[in-house]
Amino acid sequence: YGSTRPERILAEVKRKATRGDARSVVDTIDQYCRHQEWAMNVGDEKGTILDSIVCEVKPRAMLELGTYCGYSAVRIASLLPPNSRLITMEFNPVFAAIARQVIAWAGVEDKVVLIEGPSGDWIPKMKKEFGLTSFDLVFLDHWKDCYLPDTKLMEECGLLRTGSILVADNVICPGAPDYLEYVRGSPRYESKYFRSHLEYTTVEDGIEKSVFLG
Ligand SMILES: CNc1ncnc2c1ncn2[C@@H]1O[C@H](/C=C/CNC(=O)c2cc(-c3ccc(F)cc3)cc(O)c2O)[C@H](F)[C@H]1O
Ligand SMILES: [Mg+2]
């Protein structure tokens, strides 16, 4: 059904999830990826950790790097307070097209801005393009070797303020060793590891939550 994995995930969402019900979209994707074919969504176990941080921070301005099929964008958007925005970046046009439809099916398109392009190009333009001062919360889930350069770029572009929080997926599997060393070693961050498992498996993975101290 469908030629790519993301297309098969979208087809499953349209077949099984209730239109306008973000939770049913999230649950449908989790069911499919646990029982039919694995996909690199943050998933239900790590997703619960992400949910608790989003609910604690109640971000007005949130950034996600690496949309993929839109699973975490839907999960996050469903928890955002009114007139809050999630900006999510995806440079693969096929994934972006799928994610737009998943986000629309979930009925959260008014809370999500999907930018199609590379984070390296867009991070320096964020302030001007979106009238932003800084991000309250950033979810890193794109190429693992880009976590560190993009974090440094966000610092340089003044997109992090005292108290801004970075949440990074996959710090164990596949791993982001240079990023971990940086946020754990830098006096400018207060970092905490939330032990969990790789989505839909029993392999260890975890989420790193790092508060920028300015
Ligand atoms: C670099 N700047 C980018 N700008 C915009 N979109 C981007 C950028 N870079 C990538 N994208 C976009 O962000 C996504 C990339 C997600 C990468 N994620 C993973 O590799 C990843 C891998 C595993 C995994 C674990 C074990 C195993 F055996 C196999 C896989 C688990 C995970 O949870 C992951 O998140 C998308 F694909 C790409 O177009
Ligand atoms: Mg991930």
Side-chain angles (χ1 to χ4, degrees):
Y1 204 104
S3 59
T4 67
R5 184 169 310 190
E7 280 168 346
R8 292 191 291 274
I9 289 172
L10 174 62
E12 185 75 357
V13 164
K14 289 182 172 175
R15 210 184 7 254
K16 298 273 183 60
T18 309
R19 214 185 167 98
D21 179 347
R23 263 327 306 180
S24 81
V25 168
V26 167
D27 293 341
T28 297
I29 296 174
D30 281 333
Q31 282 298 314
Y32 182 74
C33 295
R34 182 177 287 282
H35 301 298
Q36 310 302 323
E37 59 175 331
W38 187 92
M40 58 182 177
N41 317 118
V42 71
D44 42 358
E45 196 179 320
K46 289 184 290 177
T48 304
I49 299 166
L50 176 62
D51 292 352
S52 61
I53 296 169
V54 172
C55 291
E56 172 203 333
V57 175
K58 293 183 181 51
R60 291 265 293 101
M62 182 163 179
L63 175 66
E64 174 182 66
L65 300 178
T67 317
Y68 189 46
C69 296
Y71 171 92
S72 46
V74 167
R75 203 172 173 123
I76 291 163
S78 71
L79 299 173
L80 288 182
N83 59 52
S84 303
R85 276 284 172 293
L86 171 69
I87 296 173
T88 183
M89 283 187 209
E90 175 53 62
F91 65 11
N92 180 314
V94 173
F95 296 163
I98 299 288
R100 287 190 203 286
Q101 297 174 73
V102 169
I103 289 161
W105 193 271
V108 294
E109 63 271 48
D110 58 350
K111 290 198 182 279
V112 180
V113 176
L114 196 161
I115 299 176
E116 199 170 322
S119 52
D121 294 4
W122 273 96
I123 285 170
K125 295 192 284 190
M126 296 307 278
K127 286 197 170 205
K128 274 190 307 298
E129 294 290 320
F130 292 91
L132 276 165
T133 50
S134 60
F135 285 109
D136 305 310
L137 186 54
V138 181
F139 180 50
L140 298 97
D141 195 20
H142 58 334
W143 294 154
K144 309 312 160 192
D145 59 3
C146 297
Y147 283 16
L148 182 52
D150 280 351
T151 295
K152 290 181 172 173
L153 189 56
M154 286 188 285
E155 288 174 13
E156 285 151 25
C157 297
L159 284 167
L160 304 179
R161 51 134 174 103
T162 299
S164 289
I165 293 176
L166 305 182
V167 178
D169 189 25
N170 310 116
V171 293
I172 302 300
C173 176
D178 57 345
Y179 173 81
L180 267 193
E181 189 186 339
Y182 182 73
V183 290
R184 289 177 177 174
S186 164
R188 301 180 74 187
Y189 288 92
E190 184 58 46
S191 213
K192 184 175 181 222
Y193 175 64
F194 293 76
R195 186 164 184 225
S196 186
H197 297 95
L198 176 68
E199 48 268 27
Y200 319 118
T201 78
T202 56
V203 172
E204 180 176 347
D205 188 19
I207 280 187
E208 190 82 1
K209 174 190 174 190
S210 307
V211 185
F212 184 61
L213 304 173

